[in-house]
Amino acid sequence: MTAVPSPCINECRMDAATGWCEGCRRTLAEIAAWGGLDDGQKRAVLDALPARDAAWRRLHPQGAAPAATEASRCDR
């Protein structure tokens, strides 16, 4: 089985309203813990991101930063 890729897209800015990174929609705690999470825990974080992205875009309709895509992930 292949490693679960990080959703980081190197657009690292924390949104004050949500506490999520504007690039990948993870929390600081999730970003800090990522390297130590097992694959199931990483998948659980990834599974939460689409709903967070939708919520973030509703809160910021004029300034929506792109969320992570499969092609643009780094190892964070």
Side-chain angles (χ1 to χ4, degrees):
M1 185 176 242
T2 60
V4 176
S6 169
C8 181
I9 59 169
N10 294 318
E11 292 189 22
C12 308
R13 291 177 306 278
M14 299 309 291
D15 180 72
T18 63
W20 303 328
C21 172
E22 291 183 15
C24 69
R25 310 296 190 249
R26 291 180 293 169
T27 66
L28 280 175
E30 290 166 342
I31 293 166
W34 188 262
L37 299 179
D38 64 33
D39 285 353
Q41 293 168 314
K42 288 178 180 180
R43 284 188 192 93
V45 171
L46 292 177
D47 288 347
L49 300 183
R52 290 181 191 175
D53 185 54
W56 194 91
R57 289 173 186 277
R58 282 191 302 274
L59 288 171
H60 305 287
Q62 300 302 316
T69 63
E70 282 293 324
S72 63
R73 293 184 174 169
C74 73
D75 62 354
R76 284 189 226 160

